[in-house]
Amino acid sequence: MQRRRFLGLTTAGVAAVAAAPGLTACGSDSSGSDGDVTLKVVAADYGDSTANGSQRYWNKVARAFEAKNGGLKVDVTVYSWTEVDRRVAEMVKNGQAPDIAQIGAYADYAAQGELYRADEMLSIPTQAGFITSIAHAGEVRRVQYGVPFVASARLLFYNKKLFDRAGISSAPTSWDELKEAATRLKANGVKIPYGLPLGPEECQAETMMWMLSGGGGYTDGNGSYTIDSTQNIEAFEWLRDELVGADLTGPGSPARTNRQDIFDAFARGEVGMLNGHPTLMQQASGRGITYGTAPLPGRRGKSPSTMGVADWLMAFKQNGHRKEIGKFLDFVYTEDNVLDFVTEYDLLPVTTAVEQTMLGDREYKRLWRFLDELESAEFYPADKTSWAEVSKLIKQKIGSTVAKGGDPASVLGQIQREADAMENAGA
């Protein structure tokens, strides 16, 4: 199983990118150009409403950067998580790559020779400021192309008021206890006892959490795919029979239920339990929900590990703006800018300086538990060039495993075969 140990961070999910055509000053590498340059940046939206959308943050950073760097402009486009990966892929395919993209997978673009190396862009102080384990996670064959932006871990969230009403005294620690709690919640009239989002928004995350809690995962210690392992198949058979089949995941099909749908329902008080990342705390608190967090339940006790997600910045070579990209990224990673972003969305930073600031300030105490869980967190195999396509397959197929009559062994086996074929083709 590929493992990345993060000493302090958080988010989620997966991230994404896209952009309009880049505007070049000279039509070639502008590292020596004195002309005006507009950098095209594409980023994913971490907000849950227009009021706290990420566009506002990026606009603030862009205008502050422009004020200090005459002749340089920054045009940022923010897309939702449901479309950003697709949009950036389309733009790259059409020869309209952004200068900078903030997404969840970089290896396929790096393998195609489309990205700048981190050491070609960033100043030495910026490179040295990243938490080492995360910086290494952005490498392909020991060369860093993915520049970490934020990361997150996942915990089980539960509605304390609904638990109290159902007579549940503590968070479940095993699958059996989770089913028992869900059964009590249902009997007490809770609309969605356990929220199971296997829709296209981020089902690869929910999938990984259930694989890990069953003792499996996407890859083994050598980095080989183990998608159709016995542990993974059994995890989805349990979900199909014990949760979905017992009508403990609420109305509607999990295959058509997105993460944000479940987060919104939790904030309305309609969900008893779900797996969530730190930004859910802010959303729930804002709606007056009293919640608790706990480690993910495992097959026979606490899950051996939780899932961590790193989101990445990457820089495309197409428009030749290496020098300007580096200058902007150095500005993005100043302490104030990093702290502003992670504070806005209850995330954890990827730089040592901001990590230490948060650990030393009780204002961020609500995030310390996520930091603890990251000690044993496992992350998407984002260094594999096939991961972006494998993730798409999971989004297309995984929901069918838990439907009535679903066949986890067949579906996971099909994904495994296609993943192996991609790996062999890229070898």
Side-chain angles (χ1 to χ4, degrees), residues 55-67 74 328 331-332 337 340:
Q55 188 74 56
R56 184 177 62 173
Y57 167 82
W58 283 108
N59 287 346
K60 177 182 176 182
V61 171
R63 301 297 84 79
F65 174 78
E66 291 169 352
V74 181
F328 180 63
F331 184 75
V332 167
N337 284 334
D340 280 352

Side-chain angles (χ1 to χ4, degrees), residues 84-125:
V84 66
D85 284 327
R86 173 180 57 82
R87 284 187 175 264
V88 72
E90 289 174 352
M91 295 189 134
V92 172
K93 181 179 179 181
N94 293 334
Q96 298 177 335
D99 293 290
I100 299 169
Q102 181 258 308
I103 55 178
Y106 55 84
D108 50 346
Y109 297 122
Q112 294 163 21
E114 294 171 333
L115 302 180
Y116 287 117
R117 303 191 312 268
D119 64 1
E120 291 180 301
M121 307 176 293
L122 304 176
S123 67
I124 292 175

Side-chain angles (χ1 to χ4, degrees), residues 249-268:
T249 56
S253 167
R256 293 191 295 272
T257 302
N258 283 325
R259 177 192 63 182
Q260 195 59 53
D261 298 333
I262 289 296
F263 278 21
D264 291 346
F266 187 80
R268 294 193 299 267

Side-chain angles (χ1 to χ4, degrees), residues 178-192:
L178 186 146
K179 181 182 180 182
E180 180 182 355
T183 301
R184 289 191 182 186
L185 290 165
K186 180 184 177 183
N188 204 54
V190 175
K191 183 177 180 180
I192 305 173

Side-chain angles (χ1 to χ4, degrees), residues 42-273:
V42 178
D45 196 351
Y46 290 76
D48 55 32
S49 67
T50 303
N52 72 345
S54 298
Q55 188 74 56
R56 184 177 62 173
Y57 167 82
W58 283 108
N59 287 346
K60 177 182 176 182
V61 171
R63 301 297 84 79
F65 174 78
E66 291 169 352
K68 294 183 177 182
N69 295 274
L72 295 183
K73 300 294 182 182
V74 181
D75 182 3
V76 184
T77 303
V78 174
Y79 291 99
S80 72
W81 289 97
T82 57
E83 63 176 336
V84 66
D85 284 327
R86 173 180 57 82
R87 284 187 175 264
V88 72
E90 289 174 352
M91 295 189 134
V92 172
K93 181 179 179 181
N94 293 334
Q96 298 177 335
D99 293 290
I100 299 169
Q102 181 258 308
I103 55 178
Y106 55 84
D108 50 346
Y109 297 122
Q112 294 163 21
E114 294 171 333
L115 302 180
Y116 287 117
R117 303 191 312 268
D119 64 1
E120 291 180 301
M121 307 176 293
L122 304 176
S123 67
I124 292 175
T126 298
Q127 291 182 71
F130 293 118
I131 295 170
T132 302
S133 57
I134 301 182
H136 287 324
E139 296 176 350
V140 175
R141 298 183 178 89
R142 305 196 179 200
V143 177
Q144 185 182 0
Y145 294 95
V147 181
F149 182 60
V150 288
S152 77
R154 303 300 168 91
L155 293 172
L156 180 76
F157 281 68
Y158 59 97
N159 184 311
K160 287 186 174 182
K161 182 180 292 186
L162 297 182
F163 265 48
D164 288 344
R165 289 176 179 172
I168 306 168
S169 59
S170 60
T173 60
S174 68
W175 289 357
D176 286 345
E177 290 180 5
L178 186 146
K179 181 182 180 182
E180 180 182 355
T183 301
R184 289 191 182 186
L185 290 165
K186 180 184 177 183
N188 204 54
V190 175
K191 183 177 180 180
I192 305 173
Y194 178 84
L196 184 65
L198 292 179
E201 181 184 1
E202 205 196 28
C203 62
Q204 74 276 17
E206 189 75 13
T207 295
M208 185 172 177
M209 283 182 274
W210 280 97
M211 287 178 171
L212 291 174
S213 67
Y218 283 130
T219 58
D220 61 20
N222 297 318
S224 299
Y225 283 118
T226 55
I227 295 168
D228 65 346
S229 70
T230 300
Q231 296 95 323
N232 292 343
I233 292 170
E234 289 178 351
F236 280 87
E237 288 175 342
W238 190 89
L239 280 174
R240 179 196 62 196
D241 299 337
E242 305 299 328
L243 281 191
V244 180
D247 195 25
L248 297 176
T249 56
S253 167
R256 293 191 295 272
T257 302
N258 283 325
R259 177 192 63 182
Q260 195 59 53
D261 298 333
I262 289 296
F263 278 21
D264 291 346
F266 187 80
R268 294 193 299 267
E270 298 172 356
V271 180
M273 301 174 284

